[in-house]
């Protein structure tokens, strides 16, 4: 019995190695360096609130990461806000720590360059996912692990046009 490898098997083995290397280096998201720390902090939260439009929530809760609308987010019931916020179509979503971890993974994947199984960028939610991720990340960054928060951490995505009568100092 010879120790030499069949050329067909050698080609298949090389292709498998190259594919594995590509997927570990390029198929996933190009996550920010703080991502793992954010996931660790999010996992320890009892609750996290997100305020945004219903459309923003509906579009960002779906992800190219798994190509489906994850059932765990079907259990999350958005609450329509009252007053001026309600008139602008804002809702509030309350997530558990584990739900926030999954949501951050989806946002990271869609916002930071994840590729689907065919090597393509999934969907067109990148700007929304990036905006939502960029709103949630600094709130999580300020959480101190091991210390219960004084109030439920909250992120608000509600960009409004500055009042045209405001002075430049008021706009900062």
């Amino acid at each position: 019995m010879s120790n030499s490898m069949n050329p067909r098997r050698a080609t298949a083995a090389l292709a498998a190695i190259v594919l594995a290397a590509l997927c570990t280096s390029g198929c996933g998201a190009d996550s920010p360096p703080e991502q793992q720390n954010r996931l660790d902090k999010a996992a320890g939260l009892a609750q996290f609130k997100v305020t945004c439009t219903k459309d923003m929530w509906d579009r960002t809760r779906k992800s190219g990461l798994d190509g489906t609308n994850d059932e765990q987010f079907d259990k999350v019931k958005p609450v329509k806000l009252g007053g001026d916020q309600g008139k602008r179509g804002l809702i509030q979503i309350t997530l558990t720590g584990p739900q926030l971890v999954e949501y951050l993974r989806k946002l990271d994947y869609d916002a930071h360059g994840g590729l689907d199984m065919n090597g393509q960028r999934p969907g067109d939610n990148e700007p929304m996912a990036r905006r939502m991720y960029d709103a949630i990340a600094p709130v999580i960054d300020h959480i101190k692990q091991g210390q219960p928060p004084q109030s439920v951490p909250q992120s608000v995505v509600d960009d409004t046009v500055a009042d045209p009568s405001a002075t430049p100092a008021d706009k900062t």
Side-chain angles (χ1 to χ4, degrees), residues 20-41:
L22 284 173
C23 281
T24 57
S25 64
C27 289
D30 187 16
S31 302
E34 305 86 0
Q35 174 68 357
Q36 188 57 53
N37 190 40
R38 289 175 179 146
L39 295 175
D40 292 345
K41 286 180 177 183

Side-chain angles (χ1 to χ4, degrees), residues 136-169:
I136 292 173
V139 176
I140 294 173
D141 289 344
H142 283 95
I143 293 170
K144 298 198 182 339
Q145 282 183 283
Q147 297 179 10
Q150 299 299 318
S151 60
V152 175
Q154 181 173 355
S155 177
V156 178
V157 178
D158 181 26
D159 299 336
T160 56
V161 177
D163 180 356
S165 65
T167 62

Side-chain angles (χ1 to χ4, degrees), residues 76-96:
V76 175
K77 300 298 179 202
V79 175
K80 185 171 174 40
L81 298 175
D84 289 339
Q85 290 180 317
K87 288 178 186 174
R88 290 195 309 278
L90 295 177
I91 60 170
Q92 188 169 78
I93 303 99
T94 302
L95 301 173
T96 65

Side-chain angles (χ1 to χ4, degrees), residues 22-103:
L22 284 173
C23 281
T24 57
S25 64
C27 289
D30 187 16
S31 302
E34 305 86 0
Q35 174 68 357
Q36 188 57 53
N37 190 40
R38 289 175 179 146
L39 295 175
D40 292 345
K41 286 180 177 183
L45 292 173
Q47 291 184 326
F48 188 93
K49 294 184 185 233
V50 177
T51 300
C52 63
T53 62
K54 183 175 184 326
D55 187 41
M56 178 73 113
W57 167 248
D58 288 342
R59 296 204 42 195
T60 59
R61 74 185 185 131
K62 300 173 186 175
S63 173
L65 181 60
D66 56 14
T68 64
N69 183 5
D70 194 341
E71 294 87 30
Q72 73 174 310
F73 294 118
D74 289 342
K75 297 174 187 173
V76 175
K77 300 298 179 202
V79 175
K80 185 171 174 40
L81 298 175
D84 289 339
Q85 290 180 317
K87 288 178 186 174
R88 290 195 309 278
L90 295 177
I91 60 170
Q92 188 169 78
I93 303 99
T94 302
L95 301 173
T96 65
Q99 288 170 328
L100 181 58
V101 167
E102 183 62 25
Y103 188 49

